[in-house]
């Protein structure tokens, strides 16, 4: 009651001051009402944290759009977390499944005010990335995931190309999981990988050498045979002329009226007959000599073709053997009813951006009740166990339970037999209703975006160029180069006074790795 009386007295006092006093009171009331809202935003911002244990190598990072937080996980659980600032309304960071494609310690935008994006870790080629940036305490970027500057610097050296990045619309964590459909590696198969890879690499080198020699022999034979048509045409023309001269001599002899004319015609015919016979002999000899050369061209061409096929098979076998020593990623899409396999070759992309991923396996799968949602689930091999691998699952869209999702899929046994026995920690199986994004190409692992979540920061960016195609002898010149947009984020840290910066409550533990 006393408060109401005091407020009434204040209003009357302000009223006596006229319009200016009333406006001052309204402004004060507005500020008082706005302050709790701003405070609420700031209160929702989590603090940086480090797990109270020794950290291992990171296996994945999960960005929660709801909590504006990123958490990195190793084989034993979370290791570090920090607040982030994801895309604002209309420029939302897309929720989905990604992997680190490229890293750049000092990246700047070439289109947006030379915006500084330190410790950039790209997850799409059209410009979505994790990087250091200003954190006002809420979603404020143009699609990227801003992390605290110091945090971004600390995690930069520990992450790697191909590391899984999950952007979830809600809070989610890896949960321990087991299922008979998950890879069960065989120790003897894994132990045999290095020796088998060396053996097949040597065979591939030998097949390559043989293919090169066969190709060279075919080229020499073809070059030698290339002059045959012209030489034969010349001899055929000589024979035609000689035959014509003989026919003319026969005609003169038939028309001769006197002994002198007949003798002259006889002499002409004899010379023409000799010339025609010589032309015929030369032509037949040339034709006889040409046939072995033609046969050699056909034989060397066929040998080169066979050697090239053997080389292709040997190189493929050697590549598969080498890749068997790498973690394998599998993506199964309900939308396309296909299974895709990716493994990092660790070869630099021909245009200088990122690394090349092997894309040699793409096969149809059978999904029971394909008209029903299956959700988006990421199964990850976290570590070795005595019997195989320890798995976790992260669900970011629960169309169906993770276990039911695996139960509904019939995977070709030959594919599992090909990649399962040598599966290593960090291998993964992703099941989703979504097709692979057009951002998925030869230098990405997988990019899949949840279609029922806002993705303005993804849609408004220019897509990358069509995927390049690899030829047997390397990268074909016909594929062109990727257009790579700079990050759409108009921020220049050289004018830092315009931002509210995140300040951790406690000094950040910079030695968490």
């Amino acid at each position: 009651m006393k408060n109401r009386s005091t407020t009434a007295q204040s209003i009357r006092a302000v009223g006596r001051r006229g319009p200016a006093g009333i406006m001052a009171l309204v402004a004060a009331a507005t500020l008082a009402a706005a302050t709790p809202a701003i405070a609420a935003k700031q209160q929702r911002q989590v603090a940086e944290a480090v797990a109270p244990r020794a950290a291992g190598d990171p296996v994945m990072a999960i960005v929660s759009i709801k909590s504006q937080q990123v958490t990195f996980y190793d084989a034993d659980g979370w290791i570090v977390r920090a607040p982030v600032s994801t895309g604002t309304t209309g420029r939302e960071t897309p929720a989905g499944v990604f992997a680190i494609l490229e890293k750049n310690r000092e990246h700047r935008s070439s289109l947006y005010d030379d915006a500084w994006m330190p410790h950039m870790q790209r997850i799409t080629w059209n410009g979505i990335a994790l990087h250091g940036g200003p954190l006002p305490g809420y979603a404020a970027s143009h699609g990227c995931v801003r992390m605290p500057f110091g945090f971004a610097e600390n995690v930069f050296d520990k992450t790697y190309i191909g590391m899984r990045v999950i952007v979830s619309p809600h809070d989610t964590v890896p949960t321990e999981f087991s299922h008979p459909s998950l890879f069960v590696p065989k120790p003897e198969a894994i132990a045999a990988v290095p020796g088998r890879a060396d053996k097949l690499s040597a065979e591939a080198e030998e097949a390559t050498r043989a293919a090169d020699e066969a190709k060279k022999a075919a080229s020499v034979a073809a070059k030698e045979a290339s002059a045959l048509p012209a030489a034969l045409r010349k001899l055929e023309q000589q024979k035609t002329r000689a035959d014509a001269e003989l026919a003319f001599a026969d005609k003169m002899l038939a028309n001769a009226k006197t002994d002198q004319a007949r003798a002259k015609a006889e002499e002409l015919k004899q010379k023409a007959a000799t010339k025609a016979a010589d032309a015929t002999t030369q032509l037949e000899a040339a034709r006889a000599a040409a046939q072995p050369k033609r046969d050699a061209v056909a034989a060397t061409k066929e040998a080169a073709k066979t050697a090239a096929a053997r080389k292709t098979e040997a190189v493929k076998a050697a590549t598969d053997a080498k890749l068997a020593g790498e973690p394998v990623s599998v993506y199964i899409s309900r939308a396309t009813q296909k299974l895709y396999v990716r493994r990092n070759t660790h070869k630099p992309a021909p245009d200088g951006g990122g690394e090349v991923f092997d894309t040699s396996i793409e096969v149809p799968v059978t999904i029971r009740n394909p008209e029903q949602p299956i959700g988006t689930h990421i199964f990850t091999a976290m570590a070795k166990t005595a019997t195989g691998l320890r798995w976790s699952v992260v669900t970011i869209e629960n169309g169906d339970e993770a276990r039911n999702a695996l139960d509904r899929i019939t995977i070709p046994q030959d594919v599992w037999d090909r990649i399962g026995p040598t599966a290593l920690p960090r291998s993964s199986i992703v099941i989703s209703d979504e097709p692979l994004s057009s951002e998925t190409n030869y230098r990405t692992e997988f990019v899949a975006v949840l279609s029922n979540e806002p993705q303005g920061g993804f849609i408004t960016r220019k897509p990358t160029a069509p995927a390049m195609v690899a030829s047997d002898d390397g990268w074909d010149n016909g594929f062109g180069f990727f257009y790579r947009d700079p990050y759409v984020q108009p921020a220049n840290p050289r004018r830092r006074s315009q931002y509210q910066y995140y300040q951790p409550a406690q000094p950040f533990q910079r030695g968490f790795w």
Side-chain angles (χ1 to χ4, degrees):
M1 200 67 182
K2 181 178 179 181
N3 290 341
R4 290 182 182 176
S5 175
T6 302
T7 302
Q9 291 175 5
S10 298
I11 292 174
R12 285 195 296 272
V14 171
R16 287 194 296 270
R17 296 174 190 161
I22 294 174
M23 291 302 294
L25 179 62
V26 171
T30 301
L31 179 61
T35 300
I38 296 174
K41 276 186 175 181
Q42 298 291 345
Q43 288 170 2
R44 286 199 299 270
Q45 182 167 283
V46 299
E48 294 182 32
V50 180
R53 60 178 177 84
D57 293 331
V59 176
M60 71 177 78
I62 301 179
V63 176
S64 170
I65 295 176
K66 176 182 178 182
S67 296
Q68 293 291 284
Q69 173 180 277
V70 62
T71 305
F72 286 77
Y73 294 86
D74 67 5
D76 297 316
W78 76 274
I79 41 181
V80 290
R81 61 169 55 105
V84 297
S85 185
T86 60
T88 188
T89 303
R91 295 277 189 169
E92 298 89 354
T93 301
V97 181
F98 308 90
I100 294 175
L101 309 178
E102 185 184 38
K103 299 172 64 174
N104 187 346
R105 196 175 296 276
E106 289 289 338
H107 180 79
R108 287 185 179 273
S109 168
S110 61
L111 292 182
Y112 292 91
D113 197 24
D114 196 32
W116 185 43
M117 297 166 187
H119 302 102
M120 179 275 292
Q121 303 188 62
R122 185 192 295 272
I123 60 174
T124 74
W125 288 109
N126 71 356
I128 305 295
L130 284 67
H131 62 79
L135 272 64
Y138 47 85
S141 81
H142 278 60
C144 288
V145 178
R146 299 179 191 165
M147 301 182 292
F149 287 105
F151 182 89
E153 180 180 1
N154 276 317
V155 300
F156 185 84
D157 288 330
K158 295 300 179 181
T159 59
Y160 46 88
I161 302 298
M163 193 194 87
R164 172 76 64 230
V165 177
I166 301 168
V167 180
S168 175
H170 50 78
D171 297 336
T172 186
V173 297
T175 304
E176 194 164 322
F177 187 86
S178 63
H179 192 280
S181 293
L182 299 175
F183 301 133
V184 179
K186 298 178 180 179
E188 62 275 16
I190 294 175
V193 165
R196 185 168 183 271
D198 290 343
K199 177 177 179 292
L200 291 176
S201 292
E203 291 179 0
E205 289 178 4
E206 174 59 26
T208 299
R209 184 191 62 76
D212 291 343
E213 290 180 356
K215 185 177 180 180
K216 183 178 180 180
S219 177
V220 170
K223 185 176 181 179
E224 290 178 351
S226 64
L228 290 176
L232 289 174
R233 280 196 303 270
K234 184 177 180 180
L235 291 174
E236 287 169 352
Q237 290 170 358
Q238 289 177 359
K239 182 179 181 303
T240 299
R241 287 195 297 269
D243 289 343
E245 290 175 6
L246 180 60
F248 178 74
D250 281 335
K251 186 176 180 181
M252 286 185 63
L253 182 60
N255 294 330
K257 303 299 183 180
T258 64
D259 291 341
Q260 185 179 4
R262 189 175 294 108
K264 187 175 181 180
E266 286 283 1
E267 183 181 358
L268 181 62
K269 179 179 178 180
Q270 186 178 1
K271 290 181 179 178
T274 301
K275 189 175 181 180
D278 289 343
T280 299
T281 300
Q282 291 178 28
L283 179 59
E284 290 176 351
R287 284 174 174 170
Q291 190 57 45
K293 293 183 179 180
R294 289 196 181 99
D295 293 341
V297 170
T300 54
K301 184 177 181 181
E302 185 62 29
K305 183 178 179 182
T306 301
R310 191 177 297 116
K311 169 192 169 183
T312 299
E313 292 175 0
V315 169
K316 182 177 182 298
T319 300
D320 282 348
K322 185 176 181 181
L323 289 174
E326 293 292 327
V328 61
S329 296
V330 175
Y331 188 90
I332 301 172
S333 168
R334 183 177 70 90
T336 63
Q337 304 279 294
K338 285 187 176 182
L339 176 150
Y340 310 85
V341 177
R342 291 281 194 279
R343 285 180 291 195
N344 193 351
T345 67
H346 299 292
K347 294 179 180 178
D351 60 352
E355 297 176 354
V356 175
F357 283 76
D358 176 72
T359 61
S360 58
I361 301 178
E362 179 179 326
V363 296
V365 293
T366 302
I367 300 178
R368 190 175 72 253
N369 301 324
E371 72 285 351
Q372 296 179 8
I374 204 167
T376 297
H377 314 277
I378 302 96
F379 305 91
T380 306
M382 303 299 286
K384 292 181 181 179
T385 67
T387 58
L389 295 170
R390 172 165 52 83
W391 289 81
S392 73
V393 63
V394 175
T395 294
I396 60 174
E397 189 176 40
N398 197 21
D400 199 349
E401 294 295 328
R403 188 169 301 279
N404 293 340
L406 272 175
D407 288 340
R408 287 169 56 185
I409 298 171
T410 302
I411 299 167
Q413 190 60 45
D414 62 324
V415 174
W416 246 222
D417 291 343
R418 181 175 171 183
I419 60 180
T422 58
L424 300 171
R426 301 205 313 267
S427 294
S428 62
I429 302 171
V430 181
I431 297 175
S432 182
D433 293 308
E434 307 294 345
L436 286 174
S437 165
S438 59
E439 282 290 300
T440 301
N441 54 61
Y442 81 103
R443 55 179 187 169
T444 68
E445 191 228 37
F446 295 119
V447 177
V449 178
L450 300 189
S451 57
N452 61 346
E453 294 292 333
Q455 46 182 286
F458 186 74
I459 294 173
T460 55
R461 296 164 187 261
K462 293 181 180 179
T464 57
M468 298 182 183
V469 178
S471 69
D472 289 340
D473 298 323
W475 292 102
D476 187 350
N477 291 330
F479 52 41
F481 291 100
F482 271 63
Y483 176 84
R484 293 163 53 195
D485 278 348
Y487 300 113
V488 185
Q489 190 144 326
N492 190 332
R494 290 177 292 185
R495 297 198 299 271
R496 294 187 177 182
S497 60
Q498 63 182 305
Y499 298 113
Q500 295 179 336
Y501 280 87
Y502 164 77
Q503 296 292 336
Q506 300 293 331
F508 189 60
Q509 302 177 42
R510 301 185 66 84
F512 59 78
W513 259 299

